[in-house]
Amino acid sequence: MPKPKKLLAREFAAGTRVIASREMEAYFDAPIAYIYASVFLVLSCSTFMNAFFLNGLVDMSPFFEVLPFLLILFIPAITMRIWAEERANNTYELLMTLPLQPLQIVLGKYTAALVFYMIILAGSLPIVFMLFYLGEPDPGLIIGSYVGSLLLGALFLAFGLFVSALTRDQIVAFVLAALIGFILVFSGHSKVVEVLDGLVPEMGVGTLLHDSISIVPHYTAFGKGIIGLGHTTYFFLMSIFFIWMNEISLKRNRF
């Protein structure tokens, strides 16, 4: 007799939660996680403070403007070990023999990485309190920017997790994920768009990349306080695509 759908969903969530809990413990048991968090917050917050004192504006946009460039290196540093470490510790085969679906394992690891990123991002909240203490910043812009930052990190984690499943070498996983992040970010940079359009004027390669795959037009919209359906859908669909590809890669290795 088939199980009720509610029970199946509950079992699926329970299995995913087991993997996520395991991964969260691994993050905070290793000192490297604290190093990553400290370096990221020092770089991002120092960039903001430098712009804050130079411009004298009660505005958090300098923090969010530099975030995509920092994530190009920061997120691959998190994700490169997620699958490679399983193989290095000879736990990959054991993980694959658990009575769990590949999607549960992928979502568990992805959820833990996303929670870890959210904790680090929350480390910037003292800037928000400082701005409200010193003046009257626009709360809509700050909320929109944080939503965009969360979706941006979710996408970076999705393709970083997928890339790390394709190779046993952490350095290769880091380089490939950083390369994807570089393309997604810099394909939306105005100077890059101009150069690419100038190389092949009849094709408009730069504009095509900017409008089709770049994260920049979608991410910057959130910084303007625009939480639009189209921009949100872009991040959701891109993240789901890479999670799905990660599941497929696990199925191929499992069977």
Side-chain angles (χ1 to χ4, degrees), residues 139-209:
L141 294 182
I142 293 177
I143 292 172
S145 296
Y146 269 108
V147 172
S149 300
L150 178 59
L151 293 174
L152 178 68
L155 173 54
F156 271 68
L157 288 168
F159 67 69
L161 193 68
F162 165 62
V163 168
S164 69
L166 300 179
T167 176
R168 295 174 177 270
D169 193 311
Q170 293 191 37
I171 303 302
V172 174
F174 175 87
V175 171
L176 289 177
L179 180 60
I180 295 174
F182 181 89
I183 293 172
L184 290 177
V185 172
F186 280 91
S187 61
H189 195 281
S190 59
K191 296 296 183 183
V192 175
V193 173
E194 290 176 8
V195 170
L196 293 177
D197 282 346
L199 291 175
V200 193
E202 62 276 7
M203 294 183 63
V205 176
T207 302
L208 178 63
L209 292 175

Side-chain angles (χ1 to χ4, degrees), residues 48 51-62 130-131:
F48 164 78
F52 175 74
F53 285 114
L54 286 176
N55 301 326
L57 297 176
V58 186
D59 182 12
M60 203 173 172
S61 58
M130 181 193 74
L131 293 180

